[in-house]
Amino acid sequence: MSNVVKIDKWNPDLAVIAGAASILRDGGLVAFPTETVYGLGADGLGADAVKKIFAAKGRPRDNPLILHVCDKQETARLAKRDQRALDLMDKFWPGPLTLVLPLLENSCVPKEVTAGLSTVAIRMPDHPVALALIEATGHPLAAPSANRSGRPSPTDAWAVDFDLGEGVSMVLDAGSVDIGLESTVIDLTGEEVLLLRPGGLPAEKLEAFLGSPLKTPGADASKRSPGTRYRHYAPDLDVRIWDKKDALGALCVTPSESGFIGLTKPPVPFRRIIVFDSVQSYARGVFASFRDMESDDGCRCVIAEWPEPEGIGLALRDRIRRAASV
Ligand code: TXA
Ligand code: MG
């Protein structure tokens, strides 16, 4: 953990931030906390720096990255913004909402960030360390979640170090994140607002603000959001979904080799049992629980209770479903 540096979330040491920003300006990689999950940052306007992200994560080149900004005005030189986009920024930024917008002509965003699409995804994270780092770097930061591609997203610095180790120059460690699932991604390039990825900002809040339901992309989903094509969020365990209506026995697992996570205390003596007191804490803890059970050699399987698809539950369902699919 030699490259992991502790930093106070509410009072970040500016000398540490300046050191991290200088690594980024020199084209290096720095992992940093956000309110959703830890990100693996590079100078978002530097093509060579951005390429290092794909190498460190083993990420497919056709999966575009989110640019992280520290103020709304910075988006003006990156993307075309209509009134709807500006209103959403005013209402929900900083926060767990990513906007997919049309790129400006002659844009300064390298094609490595957008994977050659004519759109760019942008968000302003709600975390003092992230905001200070972006500001000190002076450029937007391209940052995917700081895990090896396909693995659960990291919700603390330990998980970043476990997955990426020396592949990242510095990991800023501000403790565990608040939300635990990635941002909500919406597409604003057409008349209708499309929900590309449910996430930390509940769809209901967006719908109440917009005054209309979000649409989900149809058959061209993977073209619009290439990330949805790949297996994701999966620990090195067999992940099974338990819908409370069904008998646990129907899952045919060996309790002594299986862990359980969810909101209901199971009537079976599983090897490990983690019961959360709310859907928010389930969301915050799901990826760390996967990693915790994965590190137990005797644990082969994890059963995840299927949450209701409301609020953060919709995003939690999405992550559990993807982790379970082979
Ligand atoms: O909360 C988050 O969003 C975290 C933190 C670090 O900010 N980041 C994150 O990044 O989850 P990543 O790369 O793991 O997921 C970004 C998602 C992917 O599904 C990607 O395909 C989609 O956003 N995306 C990025 N640019 C896009 C674009 N131009 N059009 C459509 N989808 C895009
Ligand atoms: Mg990711």
Side-chain angles (χ1 to χ4, degrees):
M1 302 259 286
S2 55
N3 51 354
V4 178
V5 180
K6 288 224 179 289
I7 188 156
D8 187 314
K9 173 174 176 181
W10 296 113
N11 187 19
D13 181 336
L14 293 181
V16 172
I17 293 287
S22 107
I23 294 173
L24 289 163
R25 279 197 303 271
D26 287 346
L29 300 181
V30 172
F32 62 94
T34 80
E35 79 282 32
T36 58
V37 299
Y38 273 70
L40 176 61
D43 175 354
L45 303 186
D48 289 337
V50 171
K51 282 183 190 157
K52 291 184 192 162
I53 290 179
F54 290 89
K57 279 183 61 103
R59 180 179 174 109
R61 284 287 170 99
D62 64 352
N63 192 4
L65 302 172
I66 297 172
L67 284 182
H68 294 66
V69 296
C70 63
D71 71 64
K72 295 164 203 158
Q73 198 37 44
E74 216 179 330
T75 59
R77 63 174 178 143
L78 304 172
K80 293 182 195 150
R81 311 162 313 159
D82 59 13
Q83 193 55 46
R84 185 180 54 175
L86 295 172
D87 291 346
L88 284 162
M89 289 177 200
D90 280 341
K91 173 75 180 168
F92 294 110
W93 281 9
L97 176 66
T98 295
L99 306 178
V100 172
L101 299 168
L103 263 181
L104 281 178
E105 280 107 42
N106 306 318
S107 147
C108 54
V109 180
K111 65 178 186 325
E112 285 73 12
V113 168
T114 60
L117 297 173
S118 55
T119 56
V120 60
I122 311 179
R123 90 174 188 100
M124 179 175 172
D126 187 13
H127 196 294
V129 172
L131 295 173
L133 183 64
I134 300 163
E135 191 177 0
T137 305
H139 278 175
L141 296 182
S145 48
N147 49 283
R148 290 275 314 160
S149 195
R151 303 252 310 133
S153 294
T155 53
D156 57 31
W158 176 87
V160 177
D161 190 57
F162 183 89
D163 271 23
L164 302 178
E166 300 300 315
V168 45
S169 298
M170 188 187 278
V171 181
L172 294 174
D173 176 3
S176 293
V177 300
D178 286 339
I179 296 178
L181 303 179
E182 304 80 351
S183 61
T184 301
V185 182
I186 58 173
D187 178 309
L188 293 177
T189 58
E191 196 105 310
E192 293 177 321
V193 179
L194 299 177
L195 178 64
L196 299 184
R197 177 177 74 179
L201 181 67
E204 295 89 334
K205 286 201 179 168
L206 278 165
E207 290 176 336
F209 183 71
L210 293 165
S212 59
L214 294 169
K215 296 280 179 318
T216 37
D220 67 341
S222 71
K223 227 186 307 164
R224 284 194 180 269
S225 189
T228 55
R229 265 204 292 274
Y230 302 104
R231 188 179 183 212
H232 256 123
Y233 315 116
D236 189 12
L237 294 165
D238 179 8
V239 181
R240 305 279 182 92
I241 297 172
W242 176 53
D243 189 334
K244 226 167 42 186
K245 306 196 290 291
D246 302 328
L248 268 165
L251 292 174
C252 294
V253 299
T254 311
S256 60
E257 294 179 351
S258 305
F260 175 95
I261 57 172
L263 294 163
T264 314
K265 191 170 180 314
V268 175
F270 290 111
R271 180 182 185 88
R272 303 166 81 95
I273 294 177
I274 303 177
V275 178
F276 297 98
D277 60 5
S278 65
V279 69
Q280 285 78 14
S281 38
Y282 188 5
R284 191 179 308 126
V286 63
F287 290 141
S289 306
F290 282 169
R291 287 175 178 270
D292 176 39
M293 292 186 186
E294 170 188 77
S295 69
D296 171 354
D297 287 341
C299 195
R300 292 165 190 278
C301 175
V302 56
I303 296 163
E305 182 177 340
W306 200 218
E308 296 299 323
E310 284 139 27
I312 191 86
L314 186 68
L316 182 55
R317 269 196 177 204
D318 172 75
R319 306 308 189 268
I320 292 172
R321 185 173 51 75
R322 288 177 197 274
S325 72
V326 278

